[in-house]
């Protein structure tokens, strides 16, 4: 197959990339929020909150994302639009991973930091917000960047419910051109392009946050 034939289908790739980026941006944002809340629940002393977050994390890490996508799209009592269902599944799934990243980041902060903050009269909440979490964020940045990359790649799974993201559209191009390989290879290059931009951005952010550490 000629590359020129692929050019004819460039709109499929553009639309696919747009939808993949939309999926990833929403899912990473919601996943981050869900993850932070879950991690705080998990390290709290409240047994009830603890149990909920543990069960949540176990479920979403212990079952395939593919199954979660199907359950959310076909199994919920309400009919969600497929794009919403896709974002929901990716966010709920990513939230479980983000929460474990944050929990380890928070627990890695020396407990003297909390003691010092409390002895200065800060409440637990204030100490978390102003002392512990800002330091934890810096430490978890590499793992978080990794998670964002995973979300971009795993968004390909929601093609199974008919969302026209990059993978779905690459499959369409395969069908239309009778070319089994090149359309997929092209999609792979686009994924690689997106993930490498993201990892560049994350390492720049890391460097900037670390700049204050020296001296
Ligand atoms: N393929 C894995 C699954 O099916 C990916 C889970 C997503 N991972 C993540 N870090 N968000 O469960």
């Amino acid at each position: 197959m000629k590359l020129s034939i692929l050019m004819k289908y460039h709109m499929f790739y553009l639309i696919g990339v747009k939808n993949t980026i939309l999926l990833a941006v929403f899912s990473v944002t919601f996943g981050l929020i869900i993850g932070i809340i879950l991690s705080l629940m998990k390290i709290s002393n409240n047994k009830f909150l603890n149990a909920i977050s543990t069960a949540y994390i176990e479920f979403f890490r212990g079952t395939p994302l593919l199954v979660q996508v199907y359950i959310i799209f076909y199994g919920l009592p309400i009919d969600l639009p497929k794009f919403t269902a896709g974002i929901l599944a990716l966010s709920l799934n990513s939230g479980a991973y983000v929460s474990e990243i944050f929990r380890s980041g928070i627990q890695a902060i020396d407990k003297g930091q909390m003691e010092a903050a409390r002895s200065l009269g800060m409440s637990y909440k204030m100490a978390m917000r102003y002392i512990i979490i800002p330091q934890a964020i810096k430490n978890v940045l590499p793992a978080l960047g990794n998670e964002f990359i995973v979300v971009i790649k795993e968004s390909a799974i929601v093609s199974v419910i008919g969302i026209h993201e990059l993978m779905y559209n690459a499959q369409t191009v395969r069908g239309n051109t009778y070319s089994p390989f090149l359309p997929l290879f092209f999609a792979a290059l686009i994924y690689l392009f997106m993930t490498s931009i993201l990892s560049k951005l994350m390492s720049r952010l890391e460097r900037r946050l670390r700049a204050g550490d020296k001296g």
Side-chain angles (χ1 to χ4, degrees), residues 52-172:
I52 291 180
S53 60
T54 303
Y56 180 104
I57 293 165
E58 288 303 316
F59 176 78
F60 281 98
R61 290 200 313 175
T63 57
L65 177 58
L66 180 62
V67 176
Q68 295 161 15
V69 170
Y70 280 135
I71 290 176
I72 287 169
F73 190 56
Y74 295 112
L76 290 189
I78 40 164
D79 272 342
L80 294 174
K82 52 192 178 184
F83 209 79
T84 313
I87 290 176
L88 188 59
L90 284 169
S91 312
L92 292 176
N93 180 279
S94 184
Y97 288 89
V98 170
S99 82
E100 288 297 86
I101 292 172
F102 264 97
R103 184 177 62 86
S104 61
I106 289 170
Q107 286 175 340
I109 304 293
D110 193 288
K111 72 177 192 308
Q113 295 285 320
M114 176 57 92
E115 290 165 358
R118 296 303 299 272
S119 71
L120 288 173
M122 288 191 184
S123 64
Y124 176 82
K125 255 196 189 143
M126 277 173 80
M128 268 294 177
R129 179 155 169 210
Y130 296 108
I131 308 293
I132 308 295
I133 291 179
Q135 296 183 72
I137 286 178
K138 209 188 303 193
N139 291 341
V140 301
L141 226 47
L144 222 47
N146 190 37
E147 174 63 20
F148 296 164
I149 286 174
V150 169
V151 171
I152 291 182
K153 295 188 300 171
E154 293 290 330
S155 70
I157 286 190
V158 302
S159 60
V160 298
I161 54 171
I163 297 176
H164 294 199
E165 42 67 71
L166 184 52
M167 196 59 199
Y168 185 100
N169 282 2
Q171 296 284 19
T172 305

Side-chain angles (χ1 to χ4, degrees), residues 166-185:
L166 184 52
M167 196 59 199
Y168 185 100
N169 282 2
Q171 296 284 19
T172 305
V173 176
R174 288 178 82 210
N176 286 0
T177 57
Y178 300 109
S179 164
F181 171 68
L182 208 55
L184 287 180
F185 183 67

